[in-house]
Amino acid sequence: MRLPAVTWSEVEHRARSVAGGPVTRCGGTDDLTVAGLVTDSRRVVPGSLFACVRGAASDGHRWAATAARAGAAALLADRPVDVALPVLCVPSVRAQLGPLGALLAGDPARALRLTGVTGSNGKTTTSTLLRGVLEAGGTRTGVVGTLGAQVGGRSRGTDLTTPEAPELHQLLRWMVDAGARQAVVEASSIALDMGRIDGLHFDVSVFTGFEEDHLDHHGTIEHYWASKARLFERDRSAAGVVVVDDPWGRRLADQAPVPVTRVGSAEDADVRVLGWRTGSAGTEVLLGDDTGGHRVSSPLVGRVHVTNLAAAWATGRLLGVPADAIAAGLATVAPPRGRNTVLGGSGRPVVVVDYAHTPRALAAAIATARDLCGPGGRLHLVLGARGRRDRYKRQGLGESARAADVVWLTNEGSHGENPSAIIGELRIGLLGAAAAVRTVPDRRAAISSAVRAAGPADVVLLVGRGHETRLLDTTDPRDAVHLDDAEVANTALIVEHGPPATADAAERAS
Ligand SMILES: CC(=O)N[C@H]1[C@@H](OP(=O)(O)OP(=O)(O)OC[C@H]2O[C@@H](n3ccc(=O)[nH]c3=O)[C@H](O)[C@@H]2O)O[C@H](CO)[C@@H](O)[C@@H]1O[C@H](C)C(=O)N[C@@H](C)C(=O)N[C@H](CCC(=O)O)C(=O)O
């Protein structure tokens, strides 16, 4: 992807448009040009403008000399650095990442209609659904989120659900160059808090629902909610679609300064869920809006997707997509990897792989998996908790797990914590539960044991990692090992219960 060469004076001019205090240019002539804004010295290429970002673990200013050696043409800093490069000194480097990230990517957002998606659960599914709806409406649409970035038949990996602003604007440039005229952006609360979507304005932003999460970062649930509510300010979005089935969503709908379409089962919902049913073949929802009743179907499995489908419907309508195109789009969108992915069946246990990693999402995933049990079937849950993150959730996860028949406690990547201590915290929520509790610290062995113990009417639910394929038990990312829950489950199904009995099951196992 070729990024435009931007003159130093254009960079200075855009930087001055960011409120916050004096901008001082040290060195560099007006016709000096830079190409690409980079926040990581390890990704600098000749001609880059390197942004010295102060972080929690280190200060980007420490990497200025490294960036210079890698060919950076100039620096963005908030204090003097002893490096022989032109420097633009600003009050806050992080505050410049959006505006300058946009400028140095050629302001791609100006050529796109943008939809933002935030919420504690359902961001990835709803973003994927929206892309399908907008494409069915006839517009090439890009998407960026937890599963990386996609446009047309191309994809790119990302380290974060919502990348840092310079990378995000470069991905939007990549989408525009690939012919996209719409883009859907998953906006995580941490990204909203850290300014990663600065420089973007959304036609519609979607709030998929809320429960406490990421309190390690936000501190309190109020701050967590406020970071999401920030997306529904006029300077960020023109309109909102908000699921009002929980009090925090209702509060947002009541308080947001932009026009809000309310979605859910509530009486006052503008797009109301009138009924639904779900099973291994997919989900069907009956919706009511100001144009009447609409029946939509989707291959997604599980009650958790009912409001995701309703929110995608409401957003498509707001963006002018005809009702029949929305329905066609929803009917064709395949489940995103690791979101209620269904394996096995046809005479073998069903295995469901899901990303649920909060108590409420786990309770919903268990309810969904229970819907897939055959007569008299039991639900086996393979449960862990990621190390070094949101310890406060572990007892709640254990409490939600009480709804299963057999719970297999295991490792989910301890990230340097003591794996047994993590399992012990999960077990607190299970004290006195009717469910049988097994402890198998090795994740592969736990998945295989659960699949082995499951009968043909049973369901094995694997939660916490979904699509993830890297498992880390230390604090050094280089120690990560490959472990894909769906891969391990498929192997266990064949080893313990034989190959798929029918073609479609074989297809599903692929
Ligand atoms: C809490 C958080 O979001 N931290 C992010 C933050 O880290 P940090 O402030 O510690 O940065 P740092 O490591 O001190 O580095 C400071 C600066 O020096 C630079 N640097 C660093 C090393 C070097 O050799 N050269 C160099 O230039 C870095 O690129 C950075 O610009 O800035 C880093 C660089 O951009 C991010 O990688 C890092 O995300 C970490 C890895 C992370 O795990 N973030 C998670 C919590 C996150 O953001 N999750 C959300 C939500 C997901 C969900 O909803 O489930 C997401 O959007 O992914």
Side-chain angles (χ1 to χ4, degrees):
M1 168 178 51
R2 281 189 56 75
L3 294 171
V6 178
T7 67
W8 201 213
S9 53
E10 285 173 299
V11 172
E12 180 185 10
H13 178 71
R14 180 68 63 94
R16 291 188 186 283
S17 72
V18 178
V23 171
T24 312
R25 202 173 104 177
C26 309
T29 57
D30 276 357
D31 59 357
L32 164 72
T33 60
V34 292
L37 181 62
V38 178
T39 59
D40 190 329
S41 59
R42 294 159 292 194
R43 295 186 174 167
V44 165
V45 295
S48 300
L49 171 59
F50 176 64
C52 303
V53 180
R54 290 176 189 274
S58 73
D59 179 352
H61 292 81
R62 279 180 48 202
W63 309 105
T66 308
R69 286 193 296 274
L75 301 175
L76 191 63
D78 65 25
R79 62 175 172 75
V81 281
D82 183 18
V83 174
L85 281 177
V87 182
L88 197 64
C89 215
V90 294
S92 160
V93 172
R94 185 159 275 285
Q96 297 283 349
L97 296 184
L100 289 183
L103 173 69
L104 287 155
D107 285 311
R110 290 177 179 171
L112 291 166
R113 294 189 73 187
L114 293 175
T115 302
V117 181
T118 194
S120 302
N121 305 300
K123 288 190 296 295
T124 302
T125 300
T126 304
S127 301
T128 306
L129 289 169
L130 274 173
R131 183 182 180 215
V133 163
L134 296 172
E135 293 257 338
T139 311
R140 171 159 288 191
T141 301
V143 63
V144 53
T146 305
L147 300 182
Q150 292 87 36
V151 61
R154 288 171 262 187
S155 62
R156 283 190 172 197
T158 57
D159 298 333
L160 300 165
T161 291
T162 311
E164 292 283 12
E167 181 185 357
L168 179 54
H169 287 276
Q170 286 173 22
L171 286 169
L172 297 179
R173 164 57 52 208
W174 172 66
M175 293 173 188
V176 170
D177 292 349
R181 288 298 167 264
Q182 305 240 29
V184 182
V185 177
E186 274 191 56
S188 69
S189 61
I190 293 172
L192 288 161
D193 202 35
M194 296 181 77
R196 296 186 202 154
I197 63 150
D198 288 353
L200 296 181
H201 191 269
F202 296 95
D203 289 67
V204 182
S205 285
V206 183
F207 183 88
T208 61
F210 188 84
E211 69 169 307
E212 67 180 23
D213 196 1
H214 298 302
L215 297 192
D216 282 0
H217 176 86
H218 297 287
T220 68
I221 194 165
E222 277 287 343
H223 284 125
Y224 174 44
W225 179 86
S227 70
K228 290 189 177 296
R230 180 77 187 80
L231 184 60
F232 298 84
E233 302 285 338
R234 286 196 185 86
D235 64 333
R236 287 252 192 263
S237 299
V241 168
V242 176
V243 175
V244 293
D245 284 359
D246 69 61
W248 295 92
R250 176 162 295 282
R251 176 179 163 193
L252 175 61
D254 292 343
Q255 291 182 3
V258 298
V260 166
T261 299
R262 295 163 185 254
V263 171
S265 306
E267 293 262 327
D268 64 340
D270 304 299
V271 173
R272 191 164 170 216
V273 174
L274 302 173
W276 57 271
R277 63 183 176 181
T278 190
S280 56
T283 301
E284 197 171 70
V285 184
L286 182 59
L287 297 170
D289 67 11
D290 57 359
T291 61
H294 307 276
R295 190 177 298 279
V296 296
S297 61
S298 161
L300 294 179
V301 172
R303 64 182 69 191
V304 288
H305 295 307
V306 170
T307 49
N308 295 338
L309 289 161
W313 169 275
T315 307
R317 300 293 280 141
L318 272 178
L319 291 171
V321 181
D324 57 346
I326 298 175
L330 295 177
T332 54
V333 170
R337 252 175 70 72
R339 274 25 174 212
N340 265 332
T341 300
V342 179
L343 308 169
S346 299
R348 307 183 302 167
V350 167
V351 177
V352 178
V353 180
D354 193 54
Y355 191 52
H357 53 275
T358 61
R360 206 175 79 181
L362 175 56
I366 289 173
T368 293
R370 185 69 77 185
D371 291 340
L372 302 178
C373 283
R378 295 181 308 161
L379 177 60
H380 299 254
L381 170 67
V382 177
L383 174 68
R386 186 192 186 282
R388 290 190 187 282
R389 183 158 300 170
D390 298 337
R391 284 186 61 181
Y392 61 90
K393 286 193 293 194
R394 291 171 189 169
Q395 182 172 336
L397 288 168
E399 285 158 5
S400 294
R402 300 168 77 94
D405 298 308
V406 186
V407 181
W408 304 79
L409 295 177
T410 188
N411 178 31
E412 190 181 295
S414 60
H415 287 253
E417 273 198 63
N418 176 342
S420 306
I422 296 173
I423 287 173
E425 290 177 47
L426 290 167
R427 189 182 277 279
I428 293 170
L430 280 156
L431 286 176
V437 180
R438 314 257 193 279
T439 298
V440 182
D442 178 89
R443 192 172 184 88
R444 286 178 191 281
I447 295 171
S448 302
S449 305
V451 170
R452 182 181 315 119
D458 292 358
V459 172
V460 179
L461 173 61
L462 313 181
V463 294
R465 301 177 65 243
H467 64 288
E468 294 174 357
T469 58
R470 314 280 293 159
L471 191 82
L472 181 62
D473 282 324
T474 71
T475 54
D476 182 344
R478 290 169 299 186
D479 295 337
V481 298
H482 175 82
L483 198 156
D484 179 325
D485 284 0
E487 264 176 21
V488 175
N490 264 323
T491 303
L493 279 165
I494 292 170
V495 168
E496 306 297 343
H497 301 279
T502 61
D504 74 292
E507 206 288 304
R508 191 159 61 194
S510 64

